[in-house]
Amino acid sequence: MAVVVAHSHYSFGLRTGVSNSLCYFDEQTVIFPCGNNLVRYNIDQKWQKLIPGSEKSQGMFAMAISTNRRYLAVSERAEKGTITVYDLQHEQTRRRKVLTGGEVNVQEFVSLAFSPDSKFLIGQSGNPDWTLFYWMWEKQHVLATVKTSSLSNNIYQVSFSPHDNTLICVSGSGVFKQYRYSEGALKQCNSQKLESHNFLSHAWMSEERVIAGTDTGRLLVFESGDLRWEMNVTSKSSHEVDSSHRQETEASVEQPVLPPSMPRVTAITPYSKGFVCSAGPGTVFLFEKTEEKDSYRKTREIKIPPDVYSIEPSQAQLQEITTLCISPSEEGLSACTDQGQLYSITLASAEISKSELAHFEFLSQPFHSKAITGLSVCIRKPLIATCSLDHSVRIWNYEDNVLELYKEFQEEAYSVALHPSGLFILVGFTDKLRLMNLLIDDIRTFKELTVRGCRECAFSHGGHMFAAANGNVIHIYSTTTFDNLLNLKGHNGKVRAVVWSADDSRLVSCGMDGAVYEWNTLTSKRESESVLKSCSYNSVAISSDGKNVFAVGTDNTLKEIQGCQVMREMGAEDMMYTAVTMTRSGRTIFTGTSTGTIRAIKYPIPTQKEWTEYQAHSSAITKMLITFDDQFLLTVSQDGCLFVWKIIDKEGRGLKRDKDVSYAEEILITKSDLEEKNQIMTELKTRVEELKMENEYQLRLKDMNYNDKIKELSEKFIHEIEALKTKNQVLKTDMEKQYLSHHEVLAEVNEKFAKEQQDFESTSNQKLMLEYEKYHELQLKSQRMQEDYEQQLQAMEHSKFEALEELTLSYEAKQQDKQLALTQCQEEACQQLREFEEAKKQIEEDGDHEIQSIRIRYEKMLRDERETNQCLKGETGIMKKKFSSLQREIDDRRSEINKHKMELQKQQGVIRSLEKDIHTLKKEIEERDETIQDKEKRIFELKKKNQELEKFKYVLDYKIKELKKQIEPRENDIQEMKQQIQEMETELDKFHKKNTQLELSSNEMKLKLKATDKELHKELRRAKDLESLVLRFKREVHHCVNFIQEPNKLKESIRELHERFVQQSDVGGIVGVDADIEREYSRQREHLERNVASLKKKLAKDGDVHRAEHNKIMMENVSLIREINDLRRELRMLRSQLHDYECQVVTYKRGKPKSLTDSKSRTSFDSAAGCLIPRLNLDEESERIIQMQSKEIQQLRQEIQSQSLALRPPTNSTKLPALAT
């Protein structure tokens, strides 16, 4: 056995194609298959425990967990299909039982299920038998089997009823059957044919109800095996299926199935409120029970979120959900997909966010969905790089067990290599070899090399070179300059593996041509070679000292090659080695096989076949590596899973490291990203400080407000307490007063009550005496009646007794006759006993029946007599009750008579009041007749006035027409005057412009004059100063001339003269400086003048535009005012017409016969009067209109005069003409 042992540490991936591949063990732990193992994963603490599969297993096919969550059943395929039951509550999850199909040759079991009490297990075998097995699994005893389907129809799911161990449901393609276990066999208990439906999943909702989902998005509900109703998974509510619809579904067996674009219901799971089901790609619906019977309502939709790291983020939403499971407390929902991903969501958050669309989250990390083709590790960081046929490159951390980075590309990635520093990665694609930076949140390309279809690449241990295989040629490049240093040619087939030696001086490669070459990386020469054309090598490894090479290939052997010779070989028996690696300590060789297992072989390789085998993957292992500290073994496979194995010795300790390596924490980040993050940080810090200040300010304000409120409330409560105290004292005084008054009233009431009690006792005693006498008389009567009834009863009983005696005598005589006949029959029976035994039995039975019937008849008669007696007794009781009830009725009648008398008096009073009302109403009618006559007279007068008003209206109309004719020429004059005003305004604008320009030029000239005056004054002052200076200088020179005879004194005087005059005034320098200042001043002045001129032009243009707009607005306002005046005139005309029409209507109504009631006539009179009143003031209204128009004309004239006098442009404050009212 090998000294070194590999212990499973962690796994990344999910095995697809397993039925019910995800289940909850408890609230925090889920179980799912990974490779050829089962993973117990804690969601909160992120730890894993692996349950290895069976030896020689070819893969898992189905899972099932018991209802008490203690046992787990897993179906696997080896030589034949097996089911292994594990005890999950055991510390090491020990294997309890292994079940097989017995004599039936079963290849695999496609679906499993535990019974509700976890004692029984059912398993559905696959093609071609499709047999259902029913086990008592603890005894490994098959209780029953049944064939559930034909060859063409697949079975997808089997399950137990949640309340019945004997009821089983089976669903599949055109199959929905229910079986019941009874008398040692499984018997079908439903007969409905549903061959047109392809049932993908089902779930039990109650003891008899099952919901099944189809590939066309239909949900069918069965009760007791019969179809009750169906619904579409995308619809909001269900609808019941009647008998005609059932006949249609049965008749549509031969119709073709709908296309697969419909949402497939691949998974259904029940929970307390309803059920959860998949509804097409990446979608899950929650259905809840409604108040209606047998109905469910869709309440929530949960979707798989888009993958932001993918090239096509929406592709993640197209995954098909294969399994759904709910946690025991129904707080979490988890799902797995056909692309090997695990998702989860808390149902509480999904219900909270009902207004929004809920999304799943990854249960652990996003895994590879296809075969992994490349694997690499680095030295300075605990990182693993993998690439896959799913176009993705992923960076994993094997210390924290997390996915660090992930990026998807357009092309498939064939090979990957991590730089020893862990900061760069080399990836071989179909078109190019790319060298990329591992940034903090991205994998970014910074160099592309034209190496097509690079299946193998590797960095040297120093990181200064890397090798890339292109077909049968190996290229070696420099990592710093990217120069092609060497091209190693020699292989005739594709290169399958490349390995660097520890000192990077040599490179070992193997290929499909059966050659293993050792290259010198300095001279590009082959130092050794081993060629075996019958073998195609898959992988190669080199020992830490570089002396030995290990290779594996298609000949199913592990070869140790030294120099050019094969030193040792070890066969793999019935499988092929696909990968090989060796620990750096040189103690153990690890190999990967085509079945997915790992073998640990002790080094030196033993002569006998000795190894330790571990169950790992479900497909061939593609790559194997050991980390540089010899602590972990890494394996990847075609099943898309990554396994991390801890390398330990037999005693459970890790291998000793040569030296402790501290991992680097440095990361790469671009300058722009860093600046952005720093900026964001500063912004966030400022924001935090602002929020702190705001919060402190708000808290202070709240404290102040609360203190004020507390003060107010305390004052308020103090006042209320004082008020309550005063109120309490007042109430106490009131209570004392009421107590005294109550005692006085109570004494009076007691006295009254005592008197009334004495009176009542005397009257009641008299009444009792009378009643007692009546009762005595009635008692005597009842005694007499009872005696009479007793005599009658005695007579009846005597007659009945006599009849009974007669009957008994007659029947005794008959009985004697019968006995004589029986004796004769007995004598005959003795002679022919064997012949007449049956006849005897029949006669005895007939006799018994007759006796029984007679007894029953007489017993009935007795019962009838007794019942009649009881009835008579009851009648006597009834008579007594009737007597008492009659007495009560008499009393009631008397009281009713009194009541009727009272009512009669009341009714008489009502009659009197009604007579009074009639009299008053008659008076009102007479008065109203008089008012009607008055109204008619008034109407006649109004008609006369109306005629006069019409005449007056005609005259007014004529006047209005004449006035209009007079107004029209005046309006024309007004328009002409307005035009003249506008022309004058334009001329005035021009004059204003000219005036402004002249004012500006005059101002400029004045400024120039001022400047020249100032300069002139300065020059005059300078001239005076110079004259005075010249005079002084002359004086000093004259003084110096006196010393002309004395050279020394002359020299000193001249020096003093020089010092005095040169230091005080340097005329030449001053003049030069003044000239420069003048030039600069003039230049700036010209520049400013140009700017002022341009600004003036702009101002003039803006003023013109503003005036034009103002004029335009004025014109529009004038036109609108005209329109308003016209509309008001029309409105007046319409009002006058309306008044005329109303008057005509009123006169028309007056002409009708008087058939309406008084109330209606009154309302019509009022309305007519109201309509006629406004018409009376027409002349006043017309006069008022004429006055207003004349006022408007005067105002317009005044405005024209003021504008002509003012002669200035209109400003914003100019008033518009007044509106006509």
Side-chain angles (χ1 to χ4, degrees):
M1 295 294 289
V3 178
V4 175
V5 178
H7 177 70
S8 58
H9 176 67
Y10 215 83
S11 65
F12 301 96
L14 173 70
R15 174 174 167 75
T16 57
V18 179
S19 176
N20 194 24
S21 58
L22 182 64
C23 56
Y24 273 93
F25 171 60
D26 55 31
E27 199 62 36
Q28 289 84 28
T29 310
V30 293
I31 300 172
F32 59 88
C34 178
N36 203 25
N37 296 271
L38 292 170
V39 179
R40 288 176 65 174
Y41 177 70
N42 189 290
I43 300 167
D44 294 336
Q45 300 175 5
K46 310 295 183 187
W47 55 257
Q48 283 187 358
K49 286 184 182 178
L50 267 68
I51 306 167
S54 305
E55 292 183 5
K56 297 182 180 180
S57 171
Q58 297 176 15
M60 299 178 183
F61 286 87
M63 287 170 51
I65 193 166
S66 60
T67 50
N68 59 7
R69 303 190 186 278
R70 179 175 179 178
Y71 303 110
L72 179 71
V74 181
S75 75
E76 297 173 286
R77 180 198 285 175
E79 294 176 357
K80 57 181 181 179
T82 60
I83 298 172
T84 309
V85 181
Y86 296 92
D87 187 355
L88 296 174
Q89 292 184 359
H90 194 268
E91 289 182 2
Q92 297 179 353
T93 316
R94 69 184 179 90
R95 191 174 297 173
R96 285 290 297 267
K97 299 292 178 184
V98 178
L99 310 175
T100 61
E103 296 177 357
V104 182
N105 186 16
V106 178
Q107 296 296 320
E108 74 271 346
F109 291 95
V110 296
S111 183
L112 308 173
F114 276 99
S115 63
D117 59 1
S118 306
K119 291 181 180 179
F120 303 97
L121 179 72
I122 54 172
Q124 175 66 55
S125 68
N127 206 8
D129 295 329
W130 301 109
T131 304
L132 180 67
F133 291 84
Y134 187 86
W135 284 282
M136 184 181 282
W137 65 269
E138 288 186 342
K139 295 182 180 179
Q140 296 178 321
H141 177 56
V142 178
L143 298 176
T145 60
V146 66
K147 192 169 182 180
T148 55
S149 177
S150 61
L151 289 171
S152 59
N153 295 337
N154 295 340
I155 301 296
Y156 297 116
Q157 188 180 354
V158 295
S159 63
F160 272 103
S161 170
H163 305 287
D164 192 353
N165 289 341
T166 61
L167 189 59
I168 298 164
C169 181
V170 179
S171 65
S173 179
V175 177
F176 186 85
K177 297 178 181 178
Q178 288 187 357
Y179 294 93
R180 187 174 289 280
Y181 176 73
S182 63
E183 299 176 358
L186 288 168
K187 299 176 182 178
Q188 188 175 347
C189 55
N190 68 328
S191 59
Q192 195 166 6
K193 291 184 180 179
L194 297 161
E195 294 177 1
S196 62
H197 295 285
N198 183 9
F199 295 99
L200 300 178
S201 58
H202 70 262
W204 290 85
M205 300 305 296
S206 63
E207 191 173 352
E208 295 181 347
R209 183 181 294 176
V210 183
I211 291 183
T214 68
D215 61 347
T216 59
R218 305 293 295 172
L219 289 172
L220 283 75
V221 178
F222 298 87
E223 283 195 12
S224 303
D226 298 326
L227 179 64
R228 294 297 182 194
W229 52 266
E230 68 176 276
M231 61 182 282
N232 194 338
V233 74
T234 56
S235 65
K236 290 186 178 178
S237 61
S238 60
H239 60 279
E240 294 191 5
V241 179
D242 55 1
S243 60
S244 63
H245 186 74
R246 280 184 214 158
Q247 290 173 4
E248 287 174 9
T249 54
E250 290 174 5
S252 64
V253 172
E254 297 178 358
Q255 291 180 357
V257 181
L258 289 169
S261 60
M262 299 291 287
R264 288 158 54 88
V265 184
T266 53
I268 304 175
T269 184
Y271 71 115
S272 58
K273 294 181 181 178
F275 65 93
V276 184
C277 71
S278 64
T283 306
V284 172
F285 288 160
L286 269 70
F287 286 87
E288 290 184 4
K289 293 177 185 175
T290 59
E291 294 178 357
E292 298 176 8
K293 188 181 178 183
D294 301 340
S295 181
Y296 294 90
R297 177 174 56 88
K298 185 178 80 172
T299 58
R300 204 79 193 96
E301 182 178 356
I302 308 170
K303 281 189 171 288
I304 292 173
D307 190 355
V308 294
Y309 295 102
S310 177
I311 298 163
E312 295 181 3
S314 60
Q315 281 295 115
Q317 296 177 311
L318 299 178
Q319 300 179 80
E320 189 172 80
I321 293 168
T322 56
T323 306
L324 290 168
C325 64
I326 294 177
S327 63
S329 65
E330 297 187 352
E331 290 182 359
L333 171 67
S334 296
C336 67
T337 67
D338 59 345
Q339 293 184 15
Q341 305 298 327
L342 293 172
Y343 295 96
S344 69
I345 190 171
T346 55
L347 291 176
S349 67
E351 288 177 2
I352 288 165
S353 61
K354 281 190 175 179
S355 60
E356 301 174 1
L357 183 69
H359 285 96
F360 280 106
E361 295 176 353
F362 280 107
L363 188 68
S364 57
Q365 287 97 22
F367 303 134
H368 283 294
S369 59
K370 291 184 181 178
I372 299 173
T373 56
L375 174 69
S376 181
V377 292
C378 62
I379 299 171
R380 296 287 292 126
K381 290 186 178 184
L383 299 180
I384 307 167
T386 57
C387 63
S388 170
L389 297 177
D390 61 3
H391 298 211
S392 70
V393 174
R394 297 169 197 255
I395 308 297
W396 313 85
N397 190 315
Y398 58 81
E399 276 206 338
D400 299 334
N401 301 320
V402 294
L403 179 67
E404 293 277 350
L405 282 174
Y406 157 46
K407 189 167 185 181
E408 196 169 312
F409 298 91
Q410 292 282 355
E411 306 88 8
E412 291 179 353
Y414 294 133
S415 59
V416 69
L418 267 176
H419 193 271
S421 65
L423 299 175
F424 312 105
I425 188 170
L426 191 67
V427 185
F429 294 98
T430 52
D431 57 346
K432 288 180 182 178
L433 178 69
R434 292 185 174 92
L435 188 62
M436 300 186 236
N437 286 324
L438 293 179
L439 301 177
I440 188 170
D441 55 359
D442 193 13
I443 302 172
R444 201 169 292 173
T445 305
F446 72 92
K447 184 64 179 177
E448 292 184 348
L449 303 171
T450 56
V451 180
R452 294 180 178 277
C454 179
R455 298 277 176 175
E456 286 296 326
C457 61
F459 276 102
S460 63
H461 292 89
H464 59 290
M465 292 185 292
F466 61 86
N470 182 11
N472 56 2
V473 180
I474 301 168
H475 304 281
I476 296 177
Y477 290 88
S478 170
T479 308
T480 53
T481 62
F482 308 111
D483 294 332
N484 189 359
L485 303 177
L486 298 172
N487 292 321
L488 307 179
K489 297 179 181 179
H491 284 283
N492 294 323
K494 286 185 179 180
V495 177
R496 295 297 301 273
V498 174
V499 181
W500 290 84
S501 64
D503 57 358
D504 295 336
S505 62
R506 286 179 296 166
L507 184 76
V508 179
S509 63
C510 68
M512 296 178 71
D513 56 353
V516 177
Y517 294 141
E518 190 174 348
W519 308 85
N520 190 317
T521 56
L522 299 174
T523 60
S524 72
K525 291 181 180 179
R526 275 185 285 183
E527 292 191 348
S528 66
E529 62 181 35
S530 175
V531 180
L532 183 64
K533 292 185 178 180
S534 61
C535 174
S536 175
Y537 287 109
N538 296 321
S539 180
V540 69
I542 190 169
S543 61
S544 56
D545 56 4
K547 293 179 180 179
N548 299 326
V549 176
F550 305 93
V552 293
T554 55
D555 59 352
N556 298 352
T557 60
L558 168 65
K559 296 179 179 65
E560 182 184 357
I561 302 167
Q562 189 173 6
C564 297
Q565 295 180 352
V566 177
M567 302 299 291
R568 295 183 188 86
E569 286 188 4
M570 178 179 277
E573 293 182 349
D574 55 348
M575 61 185 69
M576 182 176 68
Y577 289 127
T578 56
V580 65
T581 187
M582 188 179 188
T583 59
R584 278 164 179 73
S585 62
R587 295 163 63 185
T588 308
I589 301 166
F590 290 98
T591 59
T593 65
S594 58
T595 58
T597 58
I598 297 170
R599 288 181 179 178
I601 303 167
K602 187 170 61 175
Y603 185 77
I605 298 170
T607 55
Q608 296 179 350
K609 295 179 180 179
E610 294 180 3
W611 57 69
T612 305
E613 193 168 39
Y614 305 100
Q615 297 297 319
H617 297 275
S618 58
S619 299
I621 293 172
T622 54
K623 296 287 179 184
M624 291 180 76
L625 280 177
I626 292 174
T627 57
F628 285 88
D629 55 0
D630 260 6
Q631 295 298 309
F632 297 100
L633 168 69
L634 312 171
T635 60
V636 294
S637 169
Q638 291 179 1
D639 60 4
C641 298
L642 165 65
F643 276 87
V644 181
W645 305 82
K646 180 77 174 172
I647 301 173
I648 55 176
D649 56 16
K650 276 188 173 181
E651 296 175 358
R653 295 175 297 185
L655 297 184
K656 290 183 180 179
R657 304 184 186 183
D658 295 336
K659 52 185 177 181
D660 291 331
V661 179
S662 60
Y663 293 119
E665 294 184 356
E666 295 83 7
I667 54 169
L668 290 179
I669 185 166
T670 60
K671 189 177 179 181
S672 59
D673 293 342
L674 186 64
E675 287 173 353
E676 283 179 8
K677 287 182 179 178
N678 288 331
Q679 189 177 356
I680 291 163
M681 281 174 67
T682 53
E683 288 175 359
L684 290 170
K685 282 178 182 177
T686 54
R687 180 64 180 155
V688 166
E689 289 175 358
E690 288 174 1
L691 287 169
K692 280 182 180 177
M693 294 291 287
E694 286 179 8
N695 288 330
E696 288 175 359
Y697 179 68
Q698 291 293 331
L699 285 168
R700 285 175 189 168
L701 286 174
K702 283 181 180 178
D703 289 336
M704 291 170 68
N705 290 327
Y706 288 142
N707 289 326
D708 295 337
K709 285 180 181 177
I710 287 162
K711 286 179 182 177
E712 289 175 2
L713 288 168
S714 59
E715 290 175 357
K716 186 180 177 182
F717 286 134
I718 287 162
H719 289 306
E720 286 179 357
I721 287 162
E722 290 175 355
L724 287 167
K725 282 180 180 177
T726 54
K727 193 175 181 181
N728 196 5
Q729 288 176 357
V730 171
L731 288 169
K732 279 181 180 178
T733 54
D734 292 339
M735 189 185 76
E736 290 173 356
K737 290 177 182 177
Q738 285 180 4
Y739 184 75
L740 293 170
S741 62
H742 176 69
H743 269 288
E744 292 174 358
V745 171
L746 199 134
E748 292 175 359
V749 169
N750 285 331
E751 289 176 0
K752 285 181 182 179
F753 179 72
K755 289 178 182 178
E756 288 175 358
Q757 191 177 7
Q758 289 175 0
D759 297 336
F760 185 73
E761 282 178 356
S762 60
T763 52
S764 62
N765 286 327
Q766 291 175 2
K767 286 179 181 178
L768 277 168
M769 291 295 290
L770 293 169
E771 291 292 329
Y772 183 74
E773 289 174 358
K774 288 178 183 177
Y775 175 73
H776 188 66
E777 290 175 359
L778 289 167
Q779 195 174 9
L780 291 171
K781 283 181 182 178
S782 66
Q783 284 178 357
R784 288 171 193 165
M785 288 173 75
Q786 195 171 1
E787 288 174 357
D788 294 336
Y789 284 123
E790 283 177 355
Q791 288 174 2
Q792 289 176 6
L793 282 167
Q794 286 176 358
M796 292 286 286
E797 285 178 356
H798 185 69
S799 62
K800 283 176 186 174
F801 184 72
E802 288 177 353
L804 276 168
E805 285 180 350
E806 289 175 359
L807 286 167
T808 50
L809 288 169
S810 63
Y811 279 110
E812 282 176 358
K814 285 181 182 179
Q815 193 174 5
Q816 288 176 1
D817 296 335
K818 291 278 183 180
Q819 283 177 354
L820 292 169
L822 279 167
T823 54
Q824 290 175 2
C825 289
Q826 283 174 359
E827 289 173 358
E828 291 175 359
C830 289
Q831 295 174 0
Q832 298 175 349
L833 186 63
R834 293 177 183 176
E835 295 178 2
F836 297 105
E837 279 182 356
E838 293 180 0
K840 181 184 174 183
K841 287 177 182 178
Q842 290 177 358
I843 290 162
E844 286 176 353
E845 287 175 358
D846 294 335
D848 291 335
H849 284 303
E850 285 179 3
I851 290 161
Q852 284 177 359
S853 63
I854 290 161
R855 281 179 183 173
I856 289 161
R857 197 183 306 154
Y858 282 104
E859 282 174 358
K860 281 183 181 178
M861 290 172 73
L862 279 167
R863 283 175 198 154
D864 293 337
E865 292 295 329
R866 284 172 184 169
E867 284 175 359
T868 52
N869 288 331
Q870 287 177 357
C871 290
L872 290 166
K873 287 178 181 178
E875 284 176 0
T876 55
I878 288 161
M879 291 297 290
K880 288 178 183 177
K881 288 178 182 177
K882 280 183 180 179
F883 179 76
S884 60
S885 63
L886 285 168
Q887 192 70 29
R888 287 172 192 163
E889 283 178 3
I890 288 160
D891 296 334
D892 293 337
R893 290 283 170 84
R894 283 174 183 169
S895 61
E896 284 177 2
I897 287 160
N898 292 325
K899 286 178 184 177
H900 285 305
K901 284 179 180 178
M902 296 292 288
E903 286 178 359
L904 195 141
Q905 290 175 0
K906 288 178 183 177
Q907 293 292 334
Q908 285 175 354
V910 170
I911 288 161
R912 290 191 199 102
S913 63
L914 289 169
E915 284 175 352
K916 288 178 182 177
D917 292 337
I918 289 160
H919 185 68
T920 53
L921 287 167
K922 283 180 179 177
K923 284 183 179 178
E924 282 182 4
I925 290 161
E926 289 174 357
E927 289 173 357
R928 286 186 180 178
D929 288 334
E930 290 174 358
T931 53
I932 287 161
Q933 288 175 1
D934 295 333
K935 293 273 183 177
E936 284 177 351
K937 289 176 183 177
R938 177 70 177 163
I939 289 160
F940 182 73
E941 291 173 358
L942 287 167
K943 281 181 181 178
K944 285 181 179 179
K945 282 184 181 180
N946 192 9
Q947 289 175 359
E948 291 174 359
L949 287 167
E950 282 177 357
K951 292 176 184 176
F952 188 67
K953 180 194 169 186
Y954 179 75
V955 174
L956 283 171
D957 287 335
Y958 180 73
K959 283 182 180 179
I960 287 160
K961 286 176 184 177
E962 287 180 350
L963 286 166
K964 280 182 180 178
K965 288 176 183 178
Q966 291 175 4
I967 287 162
E968 282 177 0
R970 289 181 182 177
E971 285 179 352
N972 293 326
D973 293 336
I974 288 160
Q975 285 179 356
E976 288 175 0
M977 293 293 285
K978 282 181 180 178
Q979 287 176 0
Q980 286 178 4
I981 288 160
Q982 285 178 357
E983 289 172 359
M984 290 170 77
E985 282 176 354
T986 52
E987 288 177 1
L988 195 128
D989 289 337
K990 289 176 183 178
F991 284 125
H992 274 295
K993 286 177 185 177
K994 287 178 182 178
N995 286 329
T996 51
Q997 286 175 0
L998 289 167
E999 284 174 359
L1000 288 169
S1001 60
S1002 65
N1003 289 327
E1004 285 175 4
M1005 294 299 289
K1006 284 176 183 177
L1007 289 168
K1008 284 180 182 179
L1009 279 167
K1010 285 179 182 178
T1012 51
D1013 287 335
K1014 285 179 182 177
E1015 286 174 3
L1016 195 139
H1017 288 301
K1018 282 181 183 178
E1019 291 296 328
L1020 290 169
R1021 282 176 191 167
R1022 271 185 203 156
K1024 286 178 182 178
D1025 293 335
L1026 286 169
E1027 285 176 359
S1028 62
L1029 189 68
V1030 169
L1031 288 169
R1032 281 165 58 201
F1033 187 71
K1034 282 179 179 179
R1035 286 175 194 158
E1036 293 294 330
V1037 170
H1038 183 69
H1039 182 67
C1040 289
V1041 169
N1042 294 327
F1043 301 106
I1044 198 163
Q1045 298 277 331
E1046 297 174 2
N1048 291 326
K1049 287 183 179 180
L1050 183 64
K1051 188 178 178 181
E1052 287 177 1
S1053 61
I1054 288 165
R1055 190 179 291 157
E1056 287 175 0
L1057 185 67
H1058 181 269
E1059 287 175 358
R1060 193 182 298 154
F1061 287 100
V1062 170
Q1063 285 178 0
Q1064 286 180 1
S1065 59
D1066 192 0
V1067 179
I1070 290 164
V1071 171
V1073 170
D1074 291 340
D1076 293 334
I1077 289 165
E1078 284 177 5
R1079 282 193 217 97
E1080 183 66 25
Y1081 175 73
S1082 62
R1083 188 174 63 78
Q1084 288 182 1
R1085 183 170 179 175
E1086 288 174 359
H1087 176 68
L1088 289 168
E1089 285 174 356
R1090 283 197 295 272
N1091 286 337
V1092 168
S1094 63
L1095 289 168
K1096 285 175 180 176
K1097 288 178 182 177
K1098 284 182 182 177
L1099 187 72
K1101 285 180 182 177
D1102 293 337
D1104 294 337
V1105 172
H1106 180 70
R1107 287 189 196 92
E1109 287 178 354
H1110 186 75
N1111 291 327
K1112 186 178 178 183
I1113 290 162
M1114 287 285 289
M1115 293 298 290
E1116 287 176 356
N1117 286 335
V1118 168
S1119 63
L1120 288 168
I1121 287 162
R1122 285 175 189 164
E1123 288 178 3
I1124 289 162
N1125 290 328
D1126 294 337
L1127 289 167
R1128 282 181 175 171
R1129 290 190 198 100
E1130 289 176 4
L1131 197 138
R1132 288 194 205 98
M1133 294 292 289
L1134 288 168
R1135 279 179 182 168
S1136 63
Q1137 288 176 5
L1138 194 137
H1139 285 307
D1140 296 339
Y1141 291 141
E1142 284 177 353
C1143 293
Q1144 289 175 7
V1145 168
V1146 169
T1147 53
Y1148 176 73
K1149 284 181 180 177
R1150 285 288 137 228
K1152 285 186 178 181
K1154 293 181 181 180
S1155 61
L1156 300 172
T1157 60
D1158 295 336
S1159 62
K1160 288 183 180 178
S1161 64
R1162 245 183 280 138
T1163 54
S1164 63
F1165 295 151
D1166 295 336
S1167 63
C1171 293
L1172 288 167
I1173 286 161
R1175 267 317 270 145
L1176 298 171
N1177 298 323
L1178 269 174
D1179 51 351
E1180 294 177 1
E1181 189 176 355
S1182 61
E1183 286 176 1
R1184 194 177 76 245
I1185 289 162
I1186 292 160
Q1187 287 174 2
M1188 287 173 72
Q1189 286 179 352
S1190 61
K1191 284 179 183 178
E1192 283 179 8
I1193 290 159
Q1194 287 176 2
Q1195 285 176 0
L1196 286 168
R1197 284 175 180 170
Q1198 287 173 2
E1199 284 179 3
I1200 289 160
Q1201 287 174 3
S1202 62
Q1203 285 178 1
S1204 61
L1205 290 168
L1207 286 173
R1208 60 185 178 187
T1211 59
N1212 292 328
S1213 60
T1214 306
K1215 291 183 180 179
L1216 295 170
L1219 295 170
T1221 55

